[in-house]
């Protein structure tokens, strides 16, 4: 049974349609990747699922609930968290305050404190930077903070948009290790990632998007072996 089901999703900006009937599903405990060129509609898909962007058609169900008509904060309450492209942390708030913002909809103080410690286990550097303003962190540290902030909502599923973008290779490896660790804890993850090879290596399944359409879907291993994917997205 799918934890997330997206059916015939259509969306756009102004007079321009950018998604033309996308259908994807993510099962509990999976890592599923969306890959494609810039402008293919990957970020727009995530923004629609998290209910930040309006739909022009289609249906989105999460954990058995139709979330199509819901506002974004209600989606977070249901257990779906979004780590947006470009991180979008609060630069003038401290690391602690950024993490607390992730728990804004919660009031269980003991649980919040425990979850913050879990974030520090995943990303120890954040504990060292606890009183530091978010805007003074490195790009990789800001990405860790963005992931940590999303985890503070205690999600069932995490959507991550380009977590490796603009980050030093060493920190990229640390973030991918964190993705694997989260999956081992039972987290379900929908991943948009420019590094298609790295993403598909640890994805259970993947979808290839081109100009707002799903043109290919298969297991991560099968997509890695696909001549079409290797030529178009892996530079071979």
């Amino acid at each position: 049974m799918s934890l997330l089901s997206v059916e015939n999703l259509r969306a756009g900006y102004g007079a321009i349609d950018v998604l033309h009937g996308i259908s994807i599903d993510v099962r509990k405990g999976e890592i599923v990747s969306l890959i494609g060129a810039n402008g293919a509609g990957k970020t727009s898909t995530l923004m629609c699922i998290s209910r930040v962007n309006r739909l022009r058609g289609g249906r989105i169900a999460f954990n058995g609930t139709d979330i199509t008509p819901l506002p974004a904060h209600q989606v977070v309450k249901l257990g779906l968290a979004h780590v947006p492209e470009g991180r979008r942390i609060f630069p003038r708030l401290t690391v602690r305050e950024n993490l607390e913002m992730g728990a804004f909809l919660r009031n269980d103080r003991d649980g919040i404190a425990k979850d913050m410690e879990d974030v520090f286990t995943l990303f120890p550097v954040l504990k060292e930077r606890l009183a530091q303003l978010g805007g003074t962190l490195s790009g990789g540290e800001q990405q860790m903070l963005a992931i940590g902030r999303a985890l503070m909502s205690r999600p069932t599923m995490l959507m991550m948009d380009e977590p490796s973008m603009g980050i030093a290779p060493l920190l990229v490896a640390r973030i991918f290790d964190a993705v694997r660790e989260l999956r081992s804890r039972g987290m379900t993850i929908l991943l948009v990632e420019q590094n298609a090879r790295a993403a598909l290596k640890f994805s259970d399944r993947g979808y290839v998007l081109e100009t707002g359409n799903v043109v290919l879907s298969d297991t991560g291993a099968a997509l890695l072996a696909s001549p079409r994917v290797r030529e178009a997205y892996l530079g071979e």
Side-chain angles (χ1 to χ4, degrees):
M1 180 179 176
S2 297
L3 180 63
L4 174 73
S5 177
V6 177
E7 301 174 2
N8 198 30
L9 181 62
R10 294 185 290 110
Y13 302 95
I16 301 173
D17 289 332
V18 295
L19 302 179
H20 306 286
I22 286 178
S23 296
I24 65 172
D25 72 279
V26 182
R27 303 173 195 122
K28 187 175 181 180
E30 283 190 316
I31 296 178
V32 174
S33 288
L34 302 182
I35 66 171
N38 289 339
K42 306 183 299 298
T43 291
S44 294
T45 298
L46 296 195
M47 295 287 278
C48 286
I49 294 171
S50 63
R51 304 309 302 116
V52 174
N53 283 5
R54 290 184 177 182
L55 309 185
R56 293 181 175 174
R59 180 178 182 271
I60 305 168
F62 177 69
N63 203 17
T65 298
D66 184 358
I67 65 171
T68 312
L70 298 183
H73 70 278
Q74 291 288 350
V75 173
V76 175
K77 278 187 176 182
L78 290 173
L80 181 57
H82 187 179
V83 182
E85 182 182 17
R87 301 178 283 274
R88 299 190 188 181
I89 61 156
F90 300 102
R92 297 184 181 181
L93 298 184
T94 66
V95 168
R96 177 187 290 278
E97 290 166 338
N98 269 273
L99 292 174
E100 289 173 343
M101 287 299 293
F104 182 77
L105 296 175
R106 298 172 58 184
N107 55 20
D108 55 324
R109 292 187 178 181
D110 291 343
I112 290 170
K114 179 185 180 300
D115 288 345
M116 193 173 293
E117 287 300 322
D118 287 344
V119 169
F120 297 151
T121 299
L122 196 63
F123 300 122
V125 68
L126 295 182
K127 191 167 188 176
E128 300 171 12
R129 305 280 194 269
L130 203 55
Q132 192 169 325
L133 295 181
T136 66
L137 301 178
S138 71
E141 291 166 348
Q142 289 186 16
Q143 186 64 62
M144 294 175 190
L145 180 56
I147 296 170
R149 180 182 61 188
L151 293 174
M152 289 300 296
S153 68
R154 193 173 279 183
T156 304
M157 178 174 166
L158 194 62
M159 299 194 299
M160 305 175 69
D161 194 350
E162 302 285 13
S164 75
M165 181 180 291
I167 296 175
L170 185 62
L171 292 181
V172 169
R174 179 68 194 93
I175 288 168
F176 282 159
D177 285 345
V179 172
R180 295 185 186 93
E181 172 62 23
L182 290 170
R183 192 272 182 82
S184 74
R185 298 179 184 181
M187 183 73 69
T188 304
I189 297 172
L190 179 59
L191 177 67
V192 166
E193 175 51 52
Q194 61 179 348
N195 189 338
R197 186 188 304 276
L200 291 174
K201 278 183 178 179
F202 60 80
S203 293
D204 297 286
R205 295 183 300 112
Y207 293 87
V208 180
L209 271 60
E210 290 181 3
T211 59
N213 296 281
V214 174
V215 297
L216 193 62
S217 65
D218 212 323
T219 65
L223 290 176
L224 269 176
S226 163
R228 179 177 179 180
V229 172
R230 296 175 75 90
E231 179 179 359
Y233 305 108
L234 305 183
E236 296 182 7

